[in-house]
């Protein structure tokens, strides 16, 4: 069994008053190729009800740092673990309270927070005892969709409604309560994960090599190979721009969304994994989500529809907060799209390697994992099809 030190202390203040901690059990939640930036555990917490003396079980998920020093460095876990904890402990309650003040139903698109820490010493330094504990929403019927297939039209519309709400709430809070936003949100959305160190160059070069192989073997997209490589080599501007800059998840793809199904249709969505959140353009989330996680035919046929659908939801939410929507017009958002398409092509195309990898070829990432000792990650067939689809989309929209 996996061990979580001092779990009872972690739960203090989070359990209902009538519940008393008794014991727990934990096991691995994900397999090779399903998660890279952390260890995910399924935890069953046994409690006793003080009033009835009956035993009750709390089903939770524990997130701990990856054992590999290489993966900790790649995901900058020493910097990102605390912001993710604070998203649950501080940011989401703040957003919910803000929505209540405007007569809105508080957002419910994240799992319940059960506790978090960086170590056992109550300091700001992360170590192997760091843990984030949240409700296991899988026991309530939430699940990930098929990452190799992607979302259909109705499901992505459901998700975009929640995404527009998150982005608009961040902007409204920033405009109407700037001091609170700067104090309780800004500190947890300022970590740049990729793109600001030498290690990111390796991802780009590996991506360029795969791009040559994939596009070069497809006559339909082969003519765009030179333009795509130029896009990959161009330096990205990641700086936030006003007035659109807001809370952006930055890693929205199939496995970071869990959905509840009813009668063969997804009816509710939850966002997970907030370690990479940033204060940048909402267009970044929209691009990455659509490029990586929507069925290929829908990307090509419904792109304009989905962008318009998102923007309408975004504007509707701003109006609920009494925000002047003139600076956030569709024309202004189109400029955000223009500013975002290049950096999100780099982002999405690099991340296709792990996101669409063949899990049958994946190996556990242990403590001694070193990519220099591993064979290069080969693009899967789903990866190749997705990349060609994205290139077709970019050519269609004049982005190449």
């Amino acid at each position: 069994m996996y061990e979580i030190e001092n779990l009872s202390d972690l739960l203090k203040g989070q359990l209902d008053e009538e519940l008393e901690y008794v014991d727990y059990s934990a096991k691995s939640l994900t397999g090779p190729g399903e998660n890279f930036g952390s260890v995910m555990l399924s935890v069953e917490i046994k409690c006793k009800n003080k009033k009835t003396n009956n035993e009750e079980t709390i089903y939770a998920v524990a997130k701990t740092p990856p054992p590999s020093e290489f993966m900790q460095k790649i995901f900058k876990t020493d910097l990102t673990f605390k912001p993710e904890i604070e998203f649950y402990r501080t940011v989401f309650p703040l957003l919910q309270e803000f929505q209540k003040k405007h007569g809105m139903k508080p957002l419910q698109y994240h799992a319940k927070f059960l506790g978090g820490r960086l170590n056992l010493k109550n300091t700001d330094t992360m170590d192997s005892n760091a843990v984030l504990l949240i409700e296991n929403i899988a026991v309530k019927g939430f699940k990930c969709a098929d990452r190799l297939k992607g979302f259909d039209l109705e499901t992505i519309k459901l998700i975009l409604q929640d995404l527009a709400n998150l982005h608009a709430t961040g902007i409204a809070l920033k405009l109407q309560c700037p001091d609170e936003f700067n104090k309780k949100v800004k500190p947890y959305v300022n970590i740049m994960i990729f793109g600001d160190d030498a290690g990111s160059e390796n991802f780009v070069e590996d991506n360029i090599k795969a791009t040559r192989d994939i596009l070069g073997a497809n006559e339909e997209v082969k003519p765009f190979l030179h333009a795509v490589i130029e896009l990959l080599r161009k330096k990205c501007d990641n700086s936030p721009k006003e007035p659109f800059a807001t809370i952006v998840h930055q890693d929205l793809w199939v496995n970071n969304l869990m959905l509840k199904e009813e009668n063969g249709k997804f009816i509710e969505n939850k966002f997970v994994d907030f370690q990479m959140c940033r204060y940048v353009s909402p267009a970044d989330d929209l691009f990455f989500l659509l490029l990586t996680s929507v069925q290929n035919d829908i990307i090509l046929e419904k792109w304009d529809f989905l962008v318009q659908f998102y923007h309408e939801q975004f504007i509707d939410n701003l109006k609920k907060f009494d925000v002047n929507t003139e600076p956030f017009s569709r024309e202004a958002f189109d400029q955000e799209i223009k500013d975002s398409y290049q950096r999100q092509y780099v982002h999405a195309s690099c991340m296709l390697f792990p996101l669409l990898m063949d899990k049958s070829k994946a190996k556990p990432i242990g403590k001694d994992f070193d990519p220099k000792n591993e064979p290069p990650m080969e693009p899967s067939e789903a990866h190749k099809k997705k990349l060609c689809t994205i290139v077709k989309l970019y050519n269609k929209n004049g982005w190449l």
Side-chain angles (χ1 to χ4, degrees):
M1 184 183 83
Y2 289 87
E3 292 188 9
I4 303 173
E5 295 286 341
N6 294 6
L7 181 60
S8 58
D9 289 343
L10 187 67
L11 290 164
K12 285 181 178 177
Q14 301 300 326
L15 295 179
D16 293 338
E17 289 185 3
E18 66 270 19
L19 293 181
E20 180 180 57
Y21 170 80
V22 176
D23 197 5
Y24 81 97
S25 62
K27 61 182 180 180
S28 179
L29 182 65
T30 56
E34 294 181 350
N35 191 275
F36 301 93
S38 59
V39 173
M40 305 294 290
L41 303 177
S42 173
V43 185
E44 292 188 9
I45 304 167
K46 303 297 182 183
C47 299
K48 184 178 72 173
N49 190 304
K50 299 174 187 177
K51 294 181 179 179
T52 65
N53 217 33
N54 292 332
E55 186 179 88
E56 297 184 20
T57 301
I58 296 174
Y59 297 93
V61 170
K63 183 173 186 175
T64 65
S68 161
E69 290 185 7
F70 174 79
M71 297 309 290
Q72 288 189 26
K73 181 179 180 181
I74 287 293
F75 285 94
K76 299 183 181 175
T77 318
D78 59 328
L79 300 177
T80 60
F81 209 90
K82 179 178 180 179
E84 182 164 23
I85 290 173
E86 294 304 329
F87 248 82
Y88 286 96
R89 179 163 34 213
T90 304
V91 176
F92 282 129
L94 175 64
L95 297 181
Q96 289 175 317
E97 189 60 32
F98 183 67
Q99 290 174 333
K100 284 182 183 179
K101 289 180 180 178
H102 285 80
M104 299 170 63
K105 183 179 179 181
L107 55 88
Q108 297 294 333
Y109 39 66
H110 65 285
K112 181 181 177 182
F113 177 66
L114 297 175
R117 69 178 181 223
L118 296 179
N119 52 57
L120 297 174
K121 304 171 186 176
N122 198 29
T123 68
D124 275 342
T125 302
M126 187 212 75
D127 64 20
S128 60
N129 285 305
V131 60
L132 167 65
L133 195 68
I134 58 175
E135 174 189 19
N136 187 347
I137 56 177
V139 301
K140 293 184 175 180
F142 287 87
K143 63 181 181 179
C144 292
D146 185 345
R147 66 191 176 93
L148 299 182
K149 184 179 179 181
F151 300 124
D152 61 23
L153 185 60
E154 291 308 309
T155 304
I156 192 60
K157 286 170 63 180
L158 173 71
I159 295 165
L160 290 179
Q161 289 176 351
D162 286 344
L163 186 61
N165 178 278
L166 174 63
H167 292 159
T169 303
I171 287 175
L173 180 66
K174 171 187 71 174
L175 295 176
Q176 297 176 3
C177 307
D179 291 341
E180 201 165 17
F181 186 88
N182 290 333
K183 181 180 178 181
K184 296 183 178 180
V185 178
K186 268 286 192 71
Y188 311 122
V189 289
N190 277 330
I191 306 299
M192 178 69 176
I193 306 297
F194 301 116
D196 62 348
D197 52 43
S200 63
E201 295 176 5
N202 296 328
F203 287 104
V204 173
E205 291 305 318
D206 288 346
N207 195 9
I208 288 175
K209 180 182 181 303
T211 297
R212 293 186 190 278
D213 294 341
I214 295 170
L215 301 191
N218 186 308
E219 293 300 321
E220 194 173 0
V221 294
K222 186 176 181 179
F224 313 122
L225 177 57
H226 177 73
V228 169
I229 292 175
E230 288 295 308
L231 200 65
L232 288 170
R233 292 197 184 281
K234 184 179 178 182
K235 186 174 177 60
C236 297
D237 177 10
N238 293 294
S239 58
K241 297 179 177 63
E242 301 299 345
F244 276 94
T246 186
I247 300 167
V248 171
H249 185 284
Q250 193 75 357
D251 193 27
L252 274 183
W253 67 288
V254 172
N255 276 24
N256 283 338
L257 297 129
M258 296 187 70
L259 298 128
K260 189 171 185 178
E261 191 174 20
E262 188 175 280
N263 298 323
K265 179 181 178 181
F266 289 121
I267 60 169
E268 188 177 352
N269 163 70
K270 302 280 188 184
F271 298 127
V272 298
D273 197 353
F274 296 94
Q275 67 184 25
M276 296 174 68
C277 292
R278 296 203 62 219
Y279 178 70
V280 286
S281 173
D284 285 2
D285 264 351
L286 181 63
F287 252 103
F288 189 70
L289 173 62
L290 297 184
L291 294 182
T292 62
S293 304
V294 176
Q295 294 172 8
N296 290 337
D297 58 336
I298 294 176
I299 292 175
L300 292 174
E301 296 170 10
K302 298 292 185 179
W303 179 270
D304 291 339
F305 168 82
L306 289 172
V307 172
Q308 178 64 20
F309 178 83
Y310 164 84
H311 185 259
E312 289 173 355
Q313 298 294 317
F314 175 74
I315 293 297
D316 285 347
N317 277 282
L318 288 179
K319 288 179 178 178
K320 292 176 183 177
F321 292 111
D322 298 320
V323 170
N324 176 17
T325 60
E326 186 175 348
F328 302 96
S329 66
R330 177 61 199 268
E331 290 75 19
F333 188 66
D334 283 343
Q335 183 60 49
E336 295 295 301
I337 294 287
K338 184 177 180 181
D339 291 343
S340 180
Y341 76 75
Q342 187 263 337
R343 61 177 174 264
Q344 289 308 311
Y345 181 88
V346 176
H347 184 196
S349 60
C350 280
M351 292 304 293
L352 290 182
F353 285 97
L355 303 191
L356 296 178
M357 72 181 299
D358 183 347
K359 289 196 292 184
S360 68
K361 299 179 181 179
K363 298 178 181 179
I365 298 178
K367 184 175 181 180
D368 299 323
F369 174 81
D370 187 336
K372 295 191 294 292
N373 301 326
E374 301 291 330
M377 189 178 290
E378 294 294 328
S380 66
E381 288 304 311
H383 178 159
K384 296 174 184 178
K385 291 178 181 178
K386 179 66 73 177
L387 185 66
C388 291
T389 299
I390 293 173
V391 170
K392 291 176 188 177
L393 173 73
Y394 271 55
N395 175 63
K396 180 180 178 180
N397 286 286
W399 297 332
L400 295 178

